Amino acid sequence: VQSCLVAVKIPHRSSHMFRHAIRNAMSSRRVFSTVVLRQPKILAFAGSARKDSFNQKLAIYAAELAKAEGNAQVMVLEPKDYPLPLYCQDLEAEGFPENVLKVKQMLMESDGFLISSPEYNGSFSPMLKNLIDWCSRPSEADEPMAIAFKGKVAGIFGTSPGGLGGLRGLSHLRELLVNLGVNVVPDQAAVGGAFKAFGEDGRLTNEMHNNMLKACVHEVVETSLMWANQEAHCSMVKMMKEGQKAGEYGEVIFP
């Protein structure tokens, strides 16, 4: 009878999909070499470029929470560093502005987004809408629309001085992102009383708000991890079925 030894390098909070694959591997009685899963890339940003923006603070804190998960590479985008002109198709015809291409590249390289949006008149901010409008446009010949967004994972949240914490704007933002092919996780956070919401260390002081944001961030990291490693999962299935080499994911050996 062939023995089974499985050595798999998987983060401690990995998804059930990979645990299931390992169980299948063990039941197949085959020997696996190390399987390395790719850490997803997550981009955190706010829909505000204002100095001392509460939502930028919230985006930075969300990024810290994502890093603490230990399963993702996390980067923070500062909108004030990449000012974008108001979208106009005439400008697009002249050539995409350099900052648009830089921001779009960051989005394209990311598996997931953490988006903190202020609320403007019951909706999300015009600056955020402008960023999305520019980056959803094809910048190369034969490039599909919204390629920077389709198939990505996003968590949305916001804060405002009012009691609702930007809640009304989040429903509009969710609808827009879903229309672009983004998988927006169910959990979200609306942090009211922004003037008193943050401690000196930049963290949220209210435990309920803190738990809401943590749940949202955790879901984004977990889902991004799963989606970023679909290829690894498929390779493991193929290895189990065929016993063939699977590149960087290792190989199956029949002793």
Side-chain angles (χ1 to χ4, degrees):
V1 178
Q2 293 172 334
S3 62
C4 177
L5 173 63
V6 183
V8 184
K9 228 183 237 185
I10 294 181
H12 64 287
R13 294 188 183 91
S14 61
S15 72
H16 295 298
M17 181 180 72
F18 297 107
R19 297 181 191 278
H20 178 68
I22 294 170
R23 285 197 295 270
N24 286 343
M26 295 185 71
S27 66
S28 72
R29 299 189 179 281
R30 297 175 181 177
V31 180
F32 279 77
S33 62
T34 300
V35 175
V36 180
L37 300 185
R38 177 173 73 82
Q39 282 193 328
K41 295 180 180 180
I42 294 176
L43 184 66
F45 58 97
S48 173
R50 181 178 67 84
K51 181 182 178 182
D52 298 326
S53 163
F54 293 125
N55 279 279
Q56 186 64 24
K57 284 184 180 180
L58 194 61
I60 292 171
Y61 179 47
E64 291 176 1
L65 293 176
K67 290 176 184 177
E69 292 274 326
N71 293 341
Q73 300 176 45
V74 186
M75 177 177 162
V76 177
L77 166 64
E78 295 268 4
K80 64 180 177 60
D81 295 336
Y82 301 91
L84 308 180
L86 185 63
Y87 175 76
C88 172
Q89 200 164 17
D90 291 339
L91 284 179
E92 179 186 329
E94 295 173 4
F96 278 69
E98 183 180 358
N99 282 344
V100 170
L101 294 175
K102 288 180 179 179
V103 173
K104 183 179 178 181
Q105 187 63 33
M106 291 183 214
L107 295 172
M108 291 182 66
E109 291 175 354
S110 301
D111 300 289
F113 310 131
L114 296 171
I115 306 174
S116 182
S117 177
E119 183 181 300
Y120 282 43
N121 297 320
S123 189
F124 52 89
S125 69
M127 196 207 83
L128 180 56
K129 180 65 163 60
N130 190 51
L131 183 152
I132 292 172
D133 287 345
W134 267 116
C135 294
S136 66
R137 300 292 297 173
S139 52
E140 300 288 342
D142 300 322
E143 180 184 294
M145 283 284 293
I147 193 173
F149 297 97
K150 284 183 179 177
K152 304 300 177 72
V153 182
I156 58 174
F157 39 87
T159 183
S160 74
L164 293 179
L167 181 63
R168 293 173 297 180
L170 294 181
S171 62
H172 292 181
L173 179 58
R174 180 180 295 273
E175 182 179 359
L176 172 62
L177 291 172
V178 168
N179 189 56
L180 292 172
V182 179
N183 176 48
V184 185
V185 301
D187 285 323
Q188 61 182 36
V191 180
F195 286 110
K196 298 180 180 179
F198 299 90
E200 292 184 1
D201 58 359
R203 299 170 180 264
L204 293 176
T205 56
N206 182 285
E207 185 177 357
M208 181 186 71
H209 291 156
N210 208 40
N211 289 339
M212 289 168 61
L213 185 62
K214 281 184 177 181
C216 177
V217 170
H218 175 74
E219 215 172 340
V220 171
V221 173
E222 285 290 283
T223 307
S224 298
L225 176 66
M226 181 178 70
W227 286 18
N229 288 284
Q230 289 184 64
E231 183 183 347
H233 178 247
C234 292
S235 295
M236 290 176 71
V237 171
K238 182 177 180 181
M239 286 189 290
M240 286 184 285
K241 288 183 176 179
E242 302 177 6
Q244 296 177 350
K245 292 184 178 181
E248 66 181 298
Y249 301 110
E251 63 183 82
V252 181
I253 303 171
F254 292 91

